[in-house]
Structures are given as C-alpha cells and as structure tokens.
Amino acid sequence: MKNQYQVELILDSKATLGEGPSWDNEKRWLSWIDIVEQKVHIFYPDSKRNRTIVVDQNVGAAVPRKSGGFVLALRDGFYLMDIMSEQLTPIAHPEKHFPNNQFNDGKCDSAGRFWAGTMEGNETEGAGSLYCLDLDHTVRKMVENVTVSNGITWSPDNKTMYYIDTPTLQIVAFDFNQETGSIQNRRVVVNIPPKTGNPDGMTSDMEGMLWVAHWGGYQVTRWDPITGELLNSIPIPAPIVTSCSFGGENMDELYVTTARIGLSEEVLEKYPLAGGLFRIQTGVKGVPMYSFGG
C-alpha cells in the first residue's frame, strides 16, 4: 500500500477545530469552518487569501446556496447567511428541546437538500440525529440514535448514501432515492480498525471509493465500500484530521482540514502545522459538491 501522494500545506491557519471543507466550482473558492471559534472561512486558492466571517455560536457546517450566500448548521439550528452583510436569518431549529445538543457536519445532496446531524456536548450515546433540510425549508429526521454525527457522502450515481457515526468505527450505507431524498436498507460497508484514529469527515470519488479523515489518526484513508478493503493511507502532519473534500479546476485535489483542540504544547511543538489546511493531488476526480437549492 505505497503512498504516492504529495501533501501540501496551503494555509497555516492554526485552527482550533477546522472542519467542513466545501468547494464551490462556480466561484472557485473553498469554504471551511472553525467550529469552536465560531468562524466561517472562504479560502481563495489562486491568491491564497482567506476571508473570515465570525458568527455568534458554534458552527457545525456551512454549504453554499444556489441563490447566493450560505446555509449554516449552527448550534441553534439551520440559518441562511448573506456573505455581503454577514447577516444570519434563522430557518429551523429541530432540536430546541435539547439545549445541550449541537450540529456537527453536513452536506448537500445532488437535489440540493442539506443533510446535517447533531451530537450532545458530552457525546452522550444516542442523543443525536441526522436531519434533512428540504428545499421548502421543512426539516425531516432521517436517522435517530446517533452519538457523533459526522461524515456523509453519496456514490457517483447518487443511488447510495454513506454515513459515519464516529464512535461506531463504521461507515454505513443506505439505498438513496434521489427524487424523494428517502433512505432505506441500512448496512455496514466499512469497519475502521481500532487505534487508527476515529472516522470523521468523508467524501467520495468518481470511482465510487470513500475518503475518510481520521481524528487522532494522523491520516486520510481511501476505502472500497463494496469489499470493505482499505486501499490507501495518506499521512497528514497533524494528529487531528477532521474532514476532506475534492475541489480544484479538475476536481482532483483533496482539501483536508485539521485541528489543534486538546493537543498538548509538547505535541504542538512536534506538529506545528496542526490546525492547518492541506491539499493533496490525488490523480482521481472527486464527486462534485452541491449547493443548497432552497
């Protein structure tokens, strides 16, 4: 399993909890977030400029909106954000009856629906759920009994949805109905070996393989969801690797976010690039990132 990939630091951001990279092919920028610093970032690869928008609560995910701006999954539910005025407009708060819960990770499907999941602040087992924000701004609960809702992605033909609840150390698959957004036939397709870091953010490539960031695992891995086989492991010079997604002109660059939260001074001295934003030339095209259509 030879590693033939070059890992490049493109922004020494020293993020406390960098997460959720999302490439906007039309605007040629990468949005990403720092959950606990309550920041939404827009990184422009050509100029290496990074714009930061501070919101007033923890942000679990930010996705572009077709009509402009972003849709955010914040601690207090779903919001629209105008990036000119930086103003937030609430849409829905499906867990206002669970004040200790917060959103963590999310992504849009090919029809423009926004999927995002929750977790309890102390990671209480089964306290979270996965939700789908439809184009008409109604919210559906799709998966219950979730502990740390994390990576979500779809197969290139949009017939399968993959999902990670981190403590399970598994990637599960569902049959996905692109027209209705319904999911069924849940099954485990990948088992992550213990002590390799916990599975966090995830994306997929046009060959149908899954790319997974490993929290505490110093790596990004590539898996075959048909066989469950590990295809490759790419070392990242940061202990906490949080998420990954494809972007770039040819959609063959993997953008990787990392974090510094909870790391000792000793570890930070050894891994000074922790919290940075990285890029990997993969040689394979990734599935596109979709914008929210509502």
Side-chain angles (χ1 to χ4, degrees), residues 173-189:
F174 297 87
D175 295 338
F176 177 70
N177 185 313
Q178 188 177 13
E179 191 176 324
T180 64
S182 63
I183 54 174
Q184 58 184 357
N185 187 25
R186 176 179 180 144
R187 66 263 186 203
V188 176
V189 292

Side-chain angles (χ1 to χ4, degrees), residues 3-197:
N3 176 40
Q4 71 272 32
Y5 302 101
Q6 293 294 318
V7 178
E8 173 194 8
L9 176 75
I10 55 171
L11 187 65
D12 191 9
S13 44
K14 293 185 168 43
T16 304
L17 186 43
E19 259 284 6
S22 179
W23 177 257
D24 189 314
N25 206 41
E26 193 178 308
K27 297 188 171 67
R28 322 299 289 177
W29 70 31
L30 183 88
S31 57
W32 62 286
I33 60 173
D34 189 327
I35 296 177
V36 296
E37 299 296 338
Q38 306 180 345
K39 293 174 178 176
V40 176
H41 297 284
I42 303 172
F43 177 71
Y44 302 83
D46 292 343
S47 65
K48 292 188 165 47
R49 184 168 69 89
N50 191 67
R51 178 186 171 191
T52 301
I53 301 170
V54 181
V55 295
D56 63 353
Q57 51 183 298
N58 285 11
V59 51
V63 294
R65 189 184 183 199
K66 279 183 185 172
S67 57
F70 288 96
V71 184
L72 308 181
L74 298 180
R75 182 181 185 91
D76 292 344
F78 294 105
Y79 284 74
L80 302 177
M81 183 171 75
D82 183 303
I83 62 170
M84 299 298 289
S85 66
E86 302 185 1
Q87 183 177 345
L88 296 176
T89 305
I91 303 174
H93 187 5
E95 293 200 343
K96 56 189 172 191
H97 49 299
F98 297 127
N100 294 327
N101 278 20
Q102 60 191 39
F103 273 95
N104 185 66
D105 215 345
K107 198 172 288 181
C108 289
D109 65 26
S110 55
R113 308 174 193 93
F114 183 24
W115 296 68
T118 60
M119 59 179 284
E120 194 270 336
N122 294 315
E123 301 184 15
T124 298
E125 187 175 347
S129 297
L130 177 66
Y131 295 91
C132 177
L133 176 67
D134 277 302
L135 276 58
D136 62 0
H137 294 184
T138 58
V139 179
R140 290 181 284 166
K141 184 186 287 188
M142 307 304 291
V143 181
E144 295 184 309
N145 194 33
V146 173
T147 303
V148 180
S149 187
N150 246 316
I152 185 168
T153 191
W154 288 265
S155 59
D157 63 7
N158 292 302
K159 291 182 177 176
T160 307
M161 186 183 92
Y162 300 101
Y163 179 57
I164 291 171
D165 179 3
T166 293
T168 66
L169 301 181
Q170 293 175 335
I171 302 173
V172 297
F174 297 87
D175 295 338
F176 177 70
N177 185 313
Q178 188 177 13
E179 191 176 324
T180 64
S182 63
I183 54 174
Q184 58 184 357
N185 187 25
R186 176 179 180 144
R187 66 263 186 203
V188 176
V189 292
V190 171
N191 287 290
I192 306 292
K195 299 181 181 175
T196 61

